[in-house]
Amino acid sequence: MCFPCCLCVSTSEVVVVERLGKFDRMLPAGLGIVCCPWEQVSGSVSFRVQQLNVRVETKSKDNVFLTAVVSIQYQVIREKVYQAFYSLTNTRQQITAHVYDVMRSQLPTMDLDTIFETKEELAVAVKNALTETMNEYGYQILQALITDIDPDQRVKQAMNEINSAKRLKYAVAERAEGQKILQVKSAEAEAEAKYLSGVGVAKQRKAIVDGLRTSIVDFSDGVKGASSKDVMDLLLLTQYFDCVRDVGSAKHCKTTFVPSGNSAGAGMRNSLLVADAAKLS
């Protein structure tokens, strides 16, 4: 005698019905009927995308222990519901074992820096290995993502210190280059200033010489019997008095010693002439 039993199947799921312990049919989403006690619901299979996070602890080629987190996104193939339900006892444990196998065979062949650089290649290797195996059991692997690579805390501190040292070295080099540029520009400016100062002094001395020459010519023409030597003596004496006046009128000058006597001017003149003769010789 059979008693019909009604049940509701959720969207994106199918219910596996067995008759007397043997697979009979799949009930799709909606209202389903099972004949009790000859038929029974053995279980359900979801077509939703599922995610499994696997933490793998291993070491790199340069003997750095690290923990990698691999996220596997998988889904049941609609055409292979029978294999997905009856082939595996624990699907998540099967996927975890394959992830362990791939990661622990790949990571020990790479340095830590290479692992961070080739994270995408590792994820592709995990996905390919799982796809080849799990497809036979009715599961398709949608994505394999390496979401985290976490070395030992001391290793991370050492890496940060190395990076900090490199940046400090770069900063010191840039600062030194900046100081070099400042010194070069300062030296160029100083050289240019000295050059312009020398040009100014040369023009000043040329103007003084031209003025003296004009004064000597005018004085010789205006005073009869005056020789060039007399004119030079007069000019030197005039410059001497101008120098004494300038020194005495300076703000920081408190006392000025002026030689006295009849021969003071002559002595000054002779000293200047001797000095000038020494330069010429």
Side-chain angles (χ1 to χ4, degrees):
M1 188 174 181
C2 178
F3 299 96
C5 299
C6 297
L7 72 157
C8 293
V9 182
S10 300
T11 304
S12 299
E13 287 186 358
V14 292
V15 172
V16 180
V17 179
E18 296 178 350
R19 178 184 290 270
L20 298 177
K22 183 180 179 180
F23 172 75
D24 184 67
R25 66 186 183 278
M26 301 284 184
L27 292 180
L31 178 64
I33 298 176
V34 178
C35 295
C36 299
W38 313 114
E39 295 179 348
Q40 61 180 0
V41 176
S42 179
S44 63
V45 177
S46 175
F47 294 117
R48 294 185 178 93
V49 177
Q50 304 178 61
Q51 179 167 313
L52 173 64
N53 295 325
V54 182
R55 297 181 63 87
V56 183
E57 184 176 357
T58 182
K59 75 178 186 67
S60 61
K61 185 178 180 180
D62 48 355
N63 296 322
V64 176
F65 284 88
L66 55 93
T67 301
V69 179
V70 184
S71 297
I72 307 298
Q73 298 175 357
Y74 62 96
Q75 187 180 33
V76 175
I77 303 174
R78 291 181 179 272
E79 293 78 15
K80 296 184 177 181
V81 177
Y82 181 87
Q83 292 89 334
F85 186 80
Y86 286 103
S87 296
L88 298 176
T89 304
N90 190 329
T91 305
R92 300 173 73 88
Q93 186 175 357
Q94 184 82 6
I95 295 176
T96 300
H98 281 84
V99 172
Y100 278 156
D101 179 67
V102 175
M103 296 296 288
R104 288 180 174 172
S105 63
Q106 294 284 337
L107 295 184
T109 62
M110 304 177 183
D111 295 331
L112 183 60
D113 293 337
T114 306
I115 292 174
F116 280 99
E117 294 172 359
T118 60
K119 188 173 64 173
E120 297 297 331
E121 287 79 357
L122 289 172
V124 171
V126 173
K127 181 181 178 181
N128 292 337
L130 287 175
T131 300
E132 183 179 356
T133 303
M134 299 303 296
N135 189 61
E136 300 177 1
Y137 301 127
Y139 290 90
Q140 62 175 341
I141 306 300
L142 302 177
Q143 287 291 342
L145 306 173
I146 300 178
T147 57
D148 189 20
I149 298 176
D150 187 19
D152 185 79
Q153 185 65 29
R154 291 174 295 179
V155 176
K156 289 192 290 186
Q157 291 178 355
M159 294 175 66
N160 291 333
E161 291 177 358
I162 292 173
N163 190 25
S164 177
K166 288 182 179 179
R167 292 182 180 276
L168 287 175
K169 180 179 178 181
Y170 178 77
V172 170
E174 290 297 319
R175 190 182 302 111
E177 186 67 21
Q179 293 177 354
K180 174 184 174 183
I181 293 174
L182 288 176
Q183 292 179 356
V184 170
K185 292 299 181 181
S186 177
E188 291 177 354
E190 184 178 357
E192 185 69 18
K194 289 182 178 179
Y195 170 76
L196 295 176
S197 177
V199 171
V201 171
K203 290 182 178 180
Q204 180 186 15
R205 291 179 178 176
K206 184 177 183 301
I208 292 174
V209 171
D210 292 341
L212 290 175
R213 183 184 302 111
T214 304
S215 299
I216 291 172
V217 172
D218 293 342
F219 192 87
S220 299
D221 294 339
V223 180
K224 295 182 179 181
S227 62
S228 299
K229 180 176 180 302
D230 296 334
V231 176
M232 286 296 300
D233 292 344
L234 180 60
L235 289 175
L236 289 175
L237 186 60
T238 303
Q239 290 181 358
Y240 168 71
F241 287 126
D242 290 340
C243 178
V244 173
R245 182 196 61 194
D246 293 337
V247 171
S249 61
K251 294 182 179 179
H252 59 276
C253 181
K254 302 299 182 181
T255 304
T256 303
F257 294 94
V258 180
S260 61
N262 296 329
S263 60
M268 179 61 65
R269 182 183 66 82
N270 293 333
S271 298
L272 292 173
L273 291 175
V274 170
D276 197 24
K279 291 181 180 179
L280 293 177
S281 61

